[in-house]
């Protein structure tokens, strides 16, 4: 099988800042890859370019071997703040992606109910987002992404605003549901533990210019549970990532200087 | 079943926002609502008794009961209905609809295009400092008197409230929701009607209530001077004819109309206002 996503010399410049230096990467189908790095290192830019929301200045993004020209239906994107529509019930939020693709009401609601069950929200089908906690709203957003059965899922710090426990629980749930569907995942986070616990592969990014510094394989069994954070494999990995990021973060802070 | 999704609910329990408890604080033995009712009763009592007891002369004020009786009389008078009430309601309705449709459209343009915002911003900021009603001699010269200049004035007065509230609402849409619309590749129609306008609706509904009040105010004020029919004309006519009871009955009907429309609106929009994320 060919690569799901292939980046060829993709870069992005904002003014005179090299947000992303020319990057070459391949994401293999069905893998869960995490992109970890300090804030402002260009990880979200890279994700946006793959999502088709941002055009790189140069290079090419190939998805399933053909050049990407913009957003595509088979790509699901999960944002940092849960992008839920407050005037719609959980069910109709979940069915929204299918609705915009003109799937008939009965069919899309049936699919929405099924994915809501998978993310553990069956009892909240008729609730409105304001009645849910932040973690549950993010699950609604995940359910909506799953509803279209995407082959590529891009997650931009989806659990960044949540507390540590919820974050681990939701991360593992996401891992479980995407493993069932076989989608390729690129997951952006600034949490090193989250990266080690969830992924098959960790890409470590540094800032200014944003570039991938390390490409690590995570040698943990495919089925993860929270206790694995403490395993020797994960601990060693976290330490390795930390060493690189620490010097990067310090360098970035010195270079950026005080923000006005 | 200790590790399934159910067990995780403790970390992500839904925050059901129950109705906040109404504070029943008493002042001098009465609740706030109690005092409101007392105030209303005193007003009613004054309006009834002051003319009857001779505190106010009967050319200035008629007893409330007389106003109410006359108002009911007017409501069963076919000539009043066809000559005065219906034309006013029609003008208000037409002006309101024009203001809402054009206000939302202009609001969308202002929000979407930077040049439109830069062009219109100074106008929007100063608009309500200008007494629009001062334009009426110009409109009489251009359009004569009657339905068209009245509706035009009322629309002009109400539209800016719609524009401002629409722009405010659109400005408040979270970035993630806009990005969602981009990711799902919504066409402009879906984007506008399934995302932008519903998301801006809480603010737009504030504009709707203002626009309705402004339409009503401007239609009635214009009818005083620009019309030979309508509720405003009826009131000014009665005033000129020293038909004091008719005049007060007309004023009373205007009050009831304004309050009724406002309450109906508030009730219709209430379910929406709750569905806002904090």
């Amino acid at each position: 099988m060919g690569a799901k996503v292939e980046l060829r010399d993709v870069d992005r410049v904002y003014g005179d800042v090299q947000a992303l230096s020319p990057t070459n990467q391949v994401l293999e189908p069905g893998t869960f890859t995490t992109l970890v790095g300090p804030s402002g290192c260009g990880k979200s830019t890279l994700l946006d370019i793959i999502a088709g929301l941002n055009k790189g200045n140069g290079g090419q993004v190939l998805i399933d071997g053909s050049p990407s020209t913009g957003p595509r239906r088979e790509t699901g994107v999960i944002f940092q703040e849960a992008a839920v529509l407050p005037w719609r019930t959980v069910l109709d939020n979940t069915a929204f992606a299918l609705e915009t693709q003109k799937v008939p009401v009965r069919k899309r609601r049936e699919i929405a109910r099924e994915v809501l069950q998978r993310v553990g929200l069956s009892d909240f089908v008729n609730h409105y987002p304001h009645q849910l906690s932040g973690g549950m709203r993010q699950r609604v957003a995940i359910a909506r992404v799953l509803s279209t059965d995407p082959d590529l899922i891009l997650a931009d710090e989806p659990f960044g605003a949540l507390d540590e426990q919820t974050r681990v629980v939701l991360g593992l749930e996401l891992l479980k549901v995407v493993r069932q569907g076989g989608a390729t995942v690129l997951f952006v986070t600034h949490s090193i533990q989250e990266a080690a616990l969830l992924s098959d592969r960790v890409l470590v990014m540094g800032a200014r210019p944003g570039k991938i510094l390390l490409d690590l394989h995570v040698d943990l069994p495919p089925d993860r549970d929270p206790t694995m954070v403490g395993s020797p494999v994960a601990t060693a990995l976290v330490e390795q990532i930390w060493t690189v990021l620490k010097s990067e973060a310090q360098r970035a802070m010195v270079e950026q200087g005080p923000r006005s | 079943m200790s590790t399934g999704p159910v067990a995780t609910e403790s970390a992500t329990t839904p925050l059901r926002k129950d109705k906040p408890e109404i504070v029943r604080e008493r002042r001098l033995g009465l609740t706030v609502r109690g005092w409101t009712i007392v105030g209303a009763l005193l007003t009613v009592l004054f309006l009834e008794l002051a003319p009857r007891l001779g505190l106010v002369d009967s050319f200035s004020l008629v007893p409330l009961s007389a106003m109410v009786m006359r108002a009911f009389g007017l409501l069963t008078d076919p000539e009043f209905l066809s000559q005065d009430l219906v034309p006013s309601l029609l003008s208000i309705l037409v002006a309101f609809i024009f203001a809402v449709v054009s206000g939302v459209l202009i609001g969308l343009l202002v929000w979407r295009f930077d040049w439109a915002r830069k062009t219109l911003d100074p106008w929007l900021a100063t608009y309500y400092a200008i007494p629009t009603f001062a334009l009426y001699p110009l409109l009489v010269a251009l359009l004569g008197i009657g339905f068209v200049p009245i509706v035009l004035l009322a629309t002009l007065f109400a539209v800016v409230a719609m524009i401002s509230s629409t722009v405010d609402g659109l400005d408040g849409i979270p970035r993630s929701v806009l990005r969602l619309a981009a990711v799902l590749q919504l066409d402009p129609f879906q984007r506008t009607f399934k995302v932008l306008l519903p998301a801006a609706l809480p603010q737009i509904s504030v504009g709707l209530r203002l626009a309705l009040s402004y339409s009503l105010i401007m239609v009635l004020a214009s009818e005083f001077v620009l019309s030979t029919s309508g509720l405003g004309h009826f009131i000014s006519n009665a005033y000129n004819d020293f038909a004091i009871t008719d005049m007060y009955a007309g004023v009373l009907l205007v009050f009831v109309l304004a309050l009724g429309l406002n309450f109906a609106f508030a009730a219709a929009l209430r379910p929406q206002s709750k569905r806002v994320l904090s």
Side-chain angles (χ1 to χ4, degrees), chain B:
Chain B
M1 281 305 287
S2 60
T3 53
V6 178
T8 66
E9 291 311 332
S10 57
T12 54
T13 324
L15 311 165
R16 279 180 218 222
K17 285 177 193 158
D18 289 324
K19 280 185 186 170
E21 249 181 74
I22 298 159
V23 184
R24 298 207 178 275
E25 199 183 335
R26 282 169 188 276
R27 299 266 176 210
L28 298 174
L30 275 179
T31 58
V32 177
R33 173 156 293 185
W35 279 112
T36 312
I37 294 169
V38 167
L41 282 176
L42 284 176
T43 312
V44 167
L45 219 59
F46 176 80
L47 289 175
E48 182 62 31
L49 292 179
R52 289 203 188 280
L53 297 175
L55 295 173
V56 184
D57 74 78
S58 58
F59 261 122
S60 305
L61 191 66
V62 296
L64 186 63
S65 54
M67 293 181 207
V68 174
M69 292 305 289
R70 185 74 192 109
F72 276 110
L74 287 174
L75 286 177
T76 53
D77 175 358
E79 201 191 314
F80 172 79
L81 293 181
S82 66
Q83 287 299 304
D84 301 303
L85 190 62
V86 170
S88 288
L89 289 179
L90 197 66
S91 305
I92 293 166
L93 186 72
V94 172
F96 176 66
I97 290 172
F98 277 173
V100 170
V101 173
S102 55
V104 169
L105 275 176
I106 297 170
L108 281 165
L109 288 177
V110 167
W111 176 77
R112 177 70 182 76
F113 299 106
D114 225 24
W115 57 264
R117 185 183 292 247
K118 281 179 184 143
T119 316
L120 276 176
D121 246 0
W123 291 92
L124 296 180
T126 53
Y127 190 81
Y128 282 117
I130 302 164
T132 315
F133 196 61
L135 286 176
Y136 101 86
L138 180 72
L139 287 178
V140 174
L142 288 176
L143 301 167
I145 61 169
F147 182 73
V148 176
I150 290 174
V151 167
L152 192 65
L153 264 179
T155 306
L156 280 176
F157 196 49
V159 72
V160 174
M162 278 319 297
I163 298 175
S164 304
S165 66
T166 305
V167 174
D168 281 352
L170 294 170
D171 281 345
I173 301 177
R175 208 171 91 91
S176 60
V177 169
L178 297 176
R179 280 159 60 92
L180 174 69
V183 164
L184 294 178
Q185 296 171 270
L186 302 193
D187 58 50
F189 186 83
Q190 286 179 325
R191 187 173 134 92
T192 307
F193 288 98
K194 290 195 186 253
V195 177
L196 298 181
L197 291 182
L201 194 59
Q203 275 83 356
I204 290 179
S205 71
V206 174
L208 287 175
R209 285 178 75 175
L210 279 177
L212 186 66
S213 295
Y214 289 174
S215 307
L216 185 131
I217 292 169
M218 207 48 148
V219 163
L220 288 168
S222 311
E223 281 172 350
F224 271 70
V225 290
L226 280 177
S227 180
T228 52
S229 64
L231 210 43
H233 172 256
F234 175 84
I235 294 170
S236 78
N237 209 28
Y239 172 74
N240 288 331
D241 293 350
F242 299 102
I244 298 299
T245 311
D246 274 359
M247 186 193 84
Y248 277 115
V251 172
L252 194 66
L253 286 176
V254 170
F255 271 57
V256 170
L257 181 66
L259 284 176
L261 284 175
N262 221 317
F263 277 125
F265 237 78
L269 293 167
R270 192 167 299 133
Q272 247 306 311
S273 65
K274 277 190 197 159
R275 287 167 208 162
V276 180
L277 293 184
S278 45

Side-chain angles (χ1 to χ4, degrees), chain A residues 91-111:
Chain A
L91 186 66
D92 285 338
N93 259 295
T94 307
F96 185 61
L98 295 169
E99 183 180 328
T100 63
Q101 294 173 12
K102 311 268 178 3
V103 176
V105 166
R106 194 173 296 225
K107 179 80 182 151
R108 68 184 184 237
R109 290 205 164 151
E110 187 191 314
I111 296 171

